[in-house]
Amino acid sequence: MAKKKNRCYSGIGGQAVLEGVMMKNKDKYAVAVRRPDGGISVEVDHYQGILKGSKLKEIPFVRGIFNFIDSLVLGMKCLNFSASFYEEEGEPSADKENGAGDKLMSILVTCFSLALAVGLFIVLPYYLASLLNGYLRNQSLVAIIEGAVRILIFILYVSGISLMKDIRRLYRYHGAEHKCINCVERGRELTVDNAMRSSRLHRRCGTSFIFFVLFVSIILFFFIRVESPVERVVLRILLMPVVAGISYEIIRLAGRSDFILVRLISAPGMAIQRMTTKEPDRDMVETAIAAVEAVFDWKAYLRENFGYDSPEEEMEEDFGGQ
């Protein structure tokens, strides 16, 4: 293999699910789940998003808002699919009534999760920082403290849930997802051995995105100057789509550039990833590879970007393709 680059953007991304990994390439995604019997089940489908090809998804700073919503919707769908293999009652019923109930439950869970996130990462930090108003007259300093508290709460939250056994396994599959993407983006054949040697940290990770959201919110909320505490909280909530749009552009740049400034601003998010990713075992990496190969031709990608020739292709040439 004659490498031409150190690293090259592949366009694939994903997330960890219950005992598995979801990988997405453009509109196509695959969920690979390690079944209780030890086998791997792979579901392949297409997801075009809530706007389905609208030009709005091509506008910088606007596309990030809709991509964030799409990631939440698709992520919940994939989590439900992986969970279906581990339900106590066995295989879930396929009748329409249960299907509608599952969809409603997913919507309720998503709404509850968003409400919890707003309360935990917006309202609570503001409330805690506002307790200092009687001691600090500098509102700019209070705003900075609010942002620091927000980041601290996030770190404590990530650390706290990592104590749960299921979350630790989820973090290991998260590591397997990153290892596979790093493996191909570094120009290596996507094998279990090569993936195991790859890094479990990646700049385009959702963890880094959340950190950028928190960091950008510090800067943006710093300039909010209204007297009413209620208005301050409402403005913070209303500005979150703007924060998400800016954060998306930053992480999009981080996934495509090795510029020193990009590496510096990516460093804190990469550090937090050491908590949200753990070293996977070989079975976890094998599951992640199954998801990648269902949506992404990594051999063609390596051939185009790194001058890769697979042993199978060389053998076909030697034997005249017979």
Side-chain angles (χ1 to χ4, degrees):
M1 182 188 303
K3 290 188 178 182
K4 300 178 181 179
K5 313 172 184 179
N6 290 326
R7 185 170 69 92
C8 183
Y9 173 74
S10 66
I12 57 173
Q15 72 170 60
V17 297
L18 182 62
E19 293 299 326
V21 170
M22 181 274 285
M23 288 289 185
K24 188 173 183 291
N25 180 28
K26 297 180 181 178
D27 293 334
K28 189 176 182 182
Y29 74 92
V31 189
V33 179
R34 180 72 66 174
R35 301 191 306 269
D37 63 9
I40 300 176
S41 287
V42 181
E43 179 184 71
V44 181
D45 204 345
H46 289 79
Y47 180 74
Q48 295 182 323
I50 57 175
L51 295 183
K52 296 183 179 180
S54 169
K55 294 295 183 180
L56 286 174
K57 299 185 74 172
E58 299 176 7
I59 301 176
F61 300 104
V62 174
R63 58 191 173 190
I65 301 171
F66 297 103
N67 280 321
F68 176 66
I69 296 173
D70 286 340
S71 67
L72 290 178
V73 174
L74 180 59
M76 185 60 65
K77 180 179 180 181
C78 295
L79 281 171
N80 287 339
F81 172 76
S82 64
S84 69
F85 289 91
Y86 291 87
E87 292 186 353
E88 294 181 2
E89 301 298 328
E91 290 297 320
S93 172
D95 61 69
K96 294 182 180 179
E97 183 178 351
N98 283 349
D102 290 343
K103 186 175 182 179
L104 177 60
M105 182 57 69
S106 297
I107 294 174
L108 291 175
V109 170
T110 301
C111 291
F112 174 77
S113 300
L114 289 174
L116 179 63
V118 168
L120 195 59
F121 300 115
I122 297 179
V123 179
L124 181 59
Y126 171 75
Y127 171 74
L128 294 177
S130 67
L131 297 177
L132 299 174
N133 284 331
Y135 305 94
L136 297 175
R137 294 184 178 275
N138 189 328
Q139 290 301 309
S140 297
L141 180 58
V142 173
I144 294 174
I145 292 174
E146 177 190 342
V149 170
R150 186 174 292 113
I151 293 176
L152 178 61
I153 290 175
F154 174 64
I155 293 175
L156 291 175
Y157 172 80
V158 168
S159 301
I161 64 174
S162 67
L163 299 177
M164 301 167 60
K165 180 180 178 181
D166 289 343
I167 297 299
R168 286 200 302 272
R169 286 193 64 81
L170 192 72
Y171 285 173
R172 295 180 73 188
Y173 275 105
H174 191 191
E177 172 217 334
H178 284 184
K179 281 177 175 287
C180 288
I181 296 175
N182 278 321
C183 181
V184 296
E185 290 188 342
R186 290 291 182 179
R188 306 185 186 102
E189 294 182 67
L190 187 56
T191 65
V192 174
D193 288 336
N194 285 343
M196 290 292 289
R197 289 194 292 267
S198 299
S199 173
R200 72 175 197 265
L201 311 179
H202 198 282
R203 290 183 199 164
R204 286 188 286 115
C205 174
T207 303
S208 293
F209 173 77
I210 293 174
F211 174 80
F212 285 134
V213 166
L214 299 176
F215 181 74
V216 170
S217 70
I218 294 176
I219 300 174
L220 203 59
F221 297 167
F222 180 85
F223 296 100
I224 294 180
R225 292 290 186 267
V226 291
E227 294 299 325
S228 170
V230 175
E231 290 180 359
R232 290 177 188 173
V233 172
V234 171
L235 280 174
R236 280 159 169 73
I237 295 173
L238 293 178
L239 283 172
M240 286 314 297
V242 179
V243 173
I246 297 173
S247 301
Y248 175 80
E249 297 303 322
I250 296 175
I251 200 167
R252 191 172 185 270
L253 174 64
R256 291 168 167 79
S257 174
D258 277 324
F259 185 61
I260 181 65
L261 181 59
V262 173
R263 295 203 300 270
L264 287 174
I265 63 176
S266 298
M270 298 282 279
I272 297 175
Q273 282 183 49
R274 294 187 179 278
M275 292 187 289
T276 62
T277 62
K278 302 298 179 185
E279 286 296 327
D281 59 30
R282 296 179 66 87
D283 286 346
M284 292 174 176
V285 169
E286 183 183 18
T287 305
I289 289 175
V292 173
E293 294 185 330
V295 297
F296 184 71
D297 187 349
W298 60 267
K299 292 182 179 179
Y301 164 83
L302 293 184
R303 186 166 53 248
E304 179 180 350
N305 293 282
F306 296 93
Y308 169 84
D309 291 315
S310 71
E312 292 85 356
E313 290 172 342
E314 291 177 356
M315 185 176 295
E316 287 181 0
E317 291 177 359
D318 291 341
F319 287 92
Q322 299 180 359

